[in-house]
Amino acid sequence: MGKRRKPQWNYGSNKNKIPEQGAIIKKGKDLIKAALVYPNTYNAGMSSLGFQTVYKIANKNTFIACERVFMQDPKPKKQGVFPDIQITSNLQVKSLESGLNLNQFDIILFSISFENDFIHIVQLLERAGIPLRSPDRNHTHPLVVAGGVACFLNPEPIAPFMDCFLLGEAECLLDLFFDKFLKKTSKNLFLLSMEIEIPGAYVPSLHTDKKPLQIKVQFLKTLDTITTATSILTPETAFKDTFLIETLKGCPHGCRFCSAGFIYRPPRIYPAKNIYAAMDTACDKTDKIGLVSSAIADHPNITDICDYGLKHNFKLSFSSLRADKLGDEFIRALAAAKVKTATIAPEAGSKRMRNIINKKIDEKDILGAVQKLVSAGIMNLKLYFMIGLPFEQDKDILAIVDLTKKIKSVFLAASKKQKKIGTITLSVNPFIPKPFTPFQWTAMTDKTTLKKRIALIRQGLKKVANVKINVESLRKAKIHALLSRGDQRSADLIESALNNGWTYTMNQNKAYCDSIIYHETKVDKPLPWDFLDNRVKKEFLVQEFEKARHEKKSFSCPMIDCAKCKICI
């Protein structure tokens, strides 16, 4: 490319008149046009802080005009709110900001949070008239790039569709990527140089015979100068007009099923001053603040953060709360924030099962948390449980029923003192073995057994009033497992499912699907994602797996200098 003159641009709201604060529209010659695609609905994409962070970083670059693309919502809440903004009657996929067709961009950046959205990637490319497979595209087509947490867990099921991946946190990757793209002379030469010049880049076409020796996923060393918060505020999300602020990356507790607890290990904490500053920027935009992380109460300044928000008249909301971290001061902060529903995650009903998954809370913690929450006027509870966990037995499922009844008893006693009663909602989710966890070698439990265990829970609680039970779709969980754990052959299944549906596709490829979903892998056998370096040593994961087998707990991550600790890396 030749020398570019600095463009001029205008800022404004999107042409489709969705009520937003913070959207950016750039107009000018010589801008590199980047489509930031969330392969799900507007509501889901705009609820993602990762997606919003990429949008903000990209548009800070002088020569990048980054516009958003989403899947069309098949069931919009209000007629006319999303008037075919992405897919028109002739199936053209269009951007939100300017209505530009997806195939007219220079770069397509897929931000992928969940594996179940893999099929939407192929759907969007097909509708845009872009060849699905990377080798079938040429210099006239956009460069197709993917990133997001689903990619640095296991990119292989969608690798044949991608020109390249950027694996890791956006703050480490995007500026360097755009700088290199700006200076590129040809698409092919750019792809040939990416893995050499951009740490965290993965170009599948360079490894058709065998996987690369290692791709090092990129992570920020510190969050001292970083703030992760809402950049575009909109009422059309799961958190209506709520300004989201991340308080902590990762989780120190090491639950053995949880990918976030291991790929973001060691956890990193945002300084309280950064969170205060983020709240200050929200003051003239909304009165709602949502504090989010995998371990909200583990922030050392969480009570002060809550006090700061309340002092500035914000309505506060929180993601899942850990039962053993609900101290009196934090409970008072929750009550002052007028929280109506609290979510806690026992995950398992029996002490034995909690030892296996390294969930270091006991029944006393759980019941104590329920009593404190309801006594503080937080009348509705959501409880997360998993079924089909490794080494699980029917008695562990019956323990979920027993624990729920004990929770209901405490809940009822505390509610009587409040002279009102709320609802307990159980969310029951099939366990899916995820990459880079100690359970990555285990198999998903078969559908017949899962149905039996769901029936045990429903039967055991059918006479318990004010308890609702929501169960995740077993079919969706099976697809999720396949896409989480598959290799590049899964790309063929994704294409087939696009045309024939998942049921037909999985039945036609039963042997392969079952080998991915239902077969345990020996710890010395290779896994599709082994070529990624996510910092945690495989030997450490093996040790944790063996501890689970023997029902032994492990210490939480001490969150100190890794060079001194050396427990896992």
Side-chain angles (χ1 to χ4, degrees):
M1 290 186 177
K3 185 176 180 181
R4 293 172 176 267
R5 68 182 180 83
K6 188 173 182 179
Q8 301 295 315
W9 60 76
N10 299 322
Y11 294 85
S13 62
N14 65 73
K15 65 180 292 184
N16 296 285
K17 299 181 181 179
I18 297 172
E20 293 182 331
Q21 299 180 61
I24 298 171
I25 296 179
K26 294 183 180 180
K27 295 180 180 180
K29 294 182 179 180
D30 293 324
L31 285 167
I32 294 173
K33 299 186 291 294
L36 176 59
V37 184
Y38 194 89
N40 207 302
T41 63
Y42 176 93
N43 183 288
M46 294 306 295
S47 301
S48 166
L49 279 182
F51 178 82
Q52 294 221 22
T53 297
V54 173
Y55 182 80
K56 179 173 67 175
I57 293 172
N59 275 314
K60 280 185 177 179
N61 189 293
T62 307
F63 291 102
I64 299 294
C66 183
E67 303 186 8
R68 293 163 292 155
V69 175
F70 305 94
M71 295 290 295
Q72 187 178 27
D73 191 340
K75 296 179 181 179
K77 289 186 292 184
K78 298 177 183 178
Q79 188 66 32
V81 172
F82 298 100
D84 288 341
I85 55 176
Q86 282 79 52
I87 303 170
T88 64
S89 58
N90 63 353
L91 298 183
Q92 286 295 310
V93 183
K94 295 179 177 291
S95 71
L96 189 66
E97 278 76 4
S98 68
L100 198 66
N101 291 344
L102 188 60
N103 60 7
Q104 294 177 293
F105 284 88
D106 301 304
I107 307 170
I108 297 173
L109 297 168
F110 283 103
S111 176
I112 310 168
S113 302
F114 304 105
E115 294 88 351
N116 281 350
D117 286 334
F118 284 174
I119 193 171
H120 298 148
I121 294 167
V122 181
Q123 187 177 24
L124 285 163
L125 291 174
E126 183 182 65
R127 287 178 173 175
I130 298 169
L132 301 184
R133 304 272 177 151
S134 176
D136 297 330
R137 298 193 285 266
N138 59 36
H139 68 281
T140 67
H141 296 112
L143 184 75
V144 182
V145 186
V149 66
C151 296
F152 54 90
L153 281 171
N154 179 18
E156 291 303 86
I158 55 170
F161 308 124
M162 294 299 147
D163 294 324
C164 62
F165 290 90
L166 297 176
L167 301 176
E169 292 172 340
E171 294 90 344
C172 305
L173 292 159
L174 279 181
D175 287 340
L176 180 58
F177 168 76
F178 288 134
D179 181 62
K180 298 296 182 185
F181 187 86
L182 178 67
K183 298 172 183 176
K184 76 178 179 66
T185 55
S186 77
K187 180 178 180 179
N188 287 340
L189 289 176
F190 175 65
L191 289 173
L192 284 171
S193 68
M194 273 194 71
E195 290 185 9
I196 298 170
E197 298 184 356
I198 304 175
Y202 167 42
V203 181
S205 63
L206 301 181
H207 310 283
T208 53
D209 295 330
K210 58 182 181 179
K211 295 290 186 297
L213 292 177
Q214 188 181 78
I215 300 291
K216 192 174 182 63
V217 180
Q218 300 297 295
F219 296 94
L220 292 163
K221 292 182 179 179
T222 175
L223 304 180
D224 287 352
T225 61
I226 301 295
T227 301
T228 302
T230 295
S231 57
I232 299 177
L233 195 66
T234 170
E236 299 295 334
T237 72
F239 317 102
K240 184 176 180 181
D241 287 324
T242 299
F243 191 90
L244 301 178
I245 305 172
E246 189 172 44
T247 60
L248 185 148
K249 283 187 182 292
C251 176
H253 299 292
C255 295
R256 293 177 178 131
F257 58 83
C258 179
S259 54
F262 285 91
I263 59 169
Y264 291 114
R265 193 179 183 106
R268 291 153 294 158
I269 296 169
Y270 290 89
K273 62 182 178 62
N274 297 19
I275 298 171
Y276 300 153
M279 288 184 177
D280 292 343
T281 65
C283 279
D284 59 349
K285 299 176 181 178
T286 183
D287 63 349
K288 299 177 184 178
I289 293 285
L291 300 177
V292 297
S293 83
S294 300
I296 285 286
D298 283 278
H299 196 292
N301 306 111
I302 186 60
T303 303
D304 294 337
I305 290 167
C306 292
D307 288 344
Y308 188 90
L310 294 171
K311 180 181 176 181
H312 289 79
N313 300 314
F314 284 114
K315 299 173 185 175
L316 302 180
S317 58
F318 306 84
S319 53
S320 179
L321 304 171
R322 192 172 166 92
D324 60 340
K325 292 287 182 177
L326 297 180
D328 292 339
E329 288 188 359
F330 189 37
I331 289 285
R332 282 196 291 270
L334 294 174
K338 298 181 180 179
V339 171
K340 301 298 181 186
T341 301
T343 301
I344 56 178
E347 309 292 2
S350 66
K351 177 178 175 59
R352 169 188 172 274
M353 203 68 240
R354 287 194 293 273
N355 286 348
I356 288 172
I357 64 176
N358 203 34
K359 187 78 178 185
K360 296 181 289 291
I361 58 175
D362 57 30
E363 190 174 283
K364 181 180 177 181
D365 295 323
I366 297 165
L367 299 179
V370 171
Q371 194 277 329
K372 288 179 181 179
L373 288 166
V374 178
S375 295
I378 301 168
M379 306 306 297
N380 300 304
L381 297 178
K382 290 183 179 179
L383 306 173
Y384 279 85
F385 288 100
M386 300 182 77
I387 58 172
L389 285 159
F391 317 116
E392 183 181 80
Q393 301 172 12
D394 283 354
K395 66 181 182 180
D396 299 305
I397 301 301
L398 295 175
I400 292 176
V401 173
D402 291 340
L403 178 59
T404 303
K405 289 179 178 179
K406 290 176 182 178
I407 289 171
K408 176 61 188 295
S409 178
V410 173
F411 177 86
L412 192 60
S415 297
K416 285 180 178 178
K417 293 180 181 178
Q418 296 289 318
K419 297 183 179 179
K420 55 183 176 179
I421 189 167
T423 300
I424 297 173
T425 302
L426 263 65
S427 178
V428 180
N429 304 280
F431 162 72
I432 295 169
K434 299 303 286 282
F436 295 103
T437 68
F439 290 157
Q440 65 179 348
W441 295 281
T442 63
M444 185 176 177
T445 300
D446 65 89
K447 186 176 180 180
T448 301
T449 303
L450 290 174
K451 282 187 172 181
K452 175 185 174 183
R453 290 176 178 170
I454 292 167
L456 285 174
I457 294 172
R458 291 194 184 280
Q459 179 68 23
L461 295 174
K462 70 176 183 178
K463 295 182 180 180
V464 181
N466 288 84
V467 174
K468 298 180 181 179
I469 303 172
N470 297 326
V471 181
E472 182 186 353
S473 163
L474 298 186
R475 175 179 172 274
K476 289 182 179 179
K478 182 178 177 181
I479 296 168
H480 189 174
L482 175 66
L483 296 177
S484 297
R485 302 176 55 76
D487 54 27
Q488 290 196 15
R489 290 174 292 174
S490 296
D492 297 333
L493 274 62
I494 293 171
E495 278 196 68
S496 172
L498 183 65
N499 299 311
N500 305 307
W502 275 115
T503 300
Y504 174 85
T505 295
M506 296 179 86
N507 286 339
Q508 289 296 108
N509 298 274
K510 189 175 187 303
Y512 170 71
C513 293
D514 286 356
S515 71
I516 296 296
I517 300 168
Y518 297 126
H519 288 182
E520 187 169 313
T521 305
K522 292 182 179 180
V523 295
D524 59 349
K525 297 294 183 182
L527 296 166
W529 50 88
D530 277 347
F531 70 99
L532 298 181
D533 177 3
N534 262 311
R535 301 182 296 181
V536 177
K537 287 181 179 177
K538 200 170 186 178
E539 294 80 3
F540 176 71
L541 299 179
V542 172
Q543 291 171 14
E544 286 295 298
F545 186 35
E546 288 305 311
K547 285 185 177 181
R549 191 188 302 277
H550 294 94
E551 302 177 17
K552 293 182 178 179
K553 294 184 289 186
S554 293
F555 293 110
S556 296
C557 176
M559 294 196 291
I560 62 173
D561 185 351
C562 290
K564 295 178 181 178
C565 176
K566 297 182 180 178
I567 288 177
C568 57
I569 62 174

